[in-house]
Amino acid sequence: MIYQDPMTALNPVLRIKEQLIETILSHDSKISRIVAYQRALHQLKMVKIPSAEEKINQYPMQLSGGMRQRVVIAMSLLNNPEILIADEPTTALDVTIQAQILDLMRQIQREMRKAIILITHDLGVVAEFCTRVIVMYSGIIVEEGTIEDIFYRPLHPYTIGLLNSLPYMDGDKIKGSLEPIPGSPPSPLQKLAGCPFAPRCKSGMKLCLRHMPDEVGISEFQKVKCFLYYPGVEAGKKKESRMAG
């Protein structure tokens, strides 16, 4: 796991080496501290921390935000996991350092053959880094597909709303006006019978408030949970509109 804020993910009163060695020994107590130290130092060098021999003896507060995030990435790799889960790994970093961390993660993915699950609200990072996307709303997967599917052929009204709310640049000016999604997300404690996005959905029907749609396969990779893609629903929607009128 690569956590969002490296300053809170790392223990402020322990040196970097103690935290890395502890991570190794907690998974394999038979390894000696000397071997664990050598592996920790090697991992810091792998994530391109300069003067790793010096940094490994320092406290987290003595490192910059970017260096702390590299330490957290090194810690996540110490026991050779098959999958890395990165929770908003660049949120606390400026744009330049963010790009460096993403490049590092891409290198890890390519050279060490690691699968990475990236959790983020930044659609720009998603477009640059990911190959497949899962869109979630209120803890429920509402759509999934390839990058091309999600950014060029979005289906779920929430996905469409997310993309419409992004600013697009035309030269040095923002093109068009932003389209915010009306309303507010439901409380995580609120139990809803239907689709959680229904109260905010421009295409919502009475059916959406009463029932949660099943997943509909659109293509090999693209799937969506929305009644709009059920066979025959469009005709029912028009009938419902006429009855409401």
Side-chain angles (χ1 to χ4, degrees), residues 13 121-122 163 203 211:
V13 300
H121 293 89
D122 191 331
L163 294 172
S203 304
H211 303 284

Side-chain angles (χ1 to χ4, degrees), residues 135-142 158 185-190 192 195-197:
V135 181
M136 300 186 71
Y137 183 82
S138 191
I140 294 174
I141 295 174
V142 294
Y158 176 59
S187 166
L189 302 178
Q190 185 179 0
L192 301 173
C195 173
F197 188 65

Side-chain angles (χ1 to χ4, degrees), residues 169-180:
M169 300 301 294
D170 183 10
D172 59 349
K173 296 181 179 179
I174 296 179
K175 186 178 181 180
S177 58
L178 302 182
E179 298 180 27

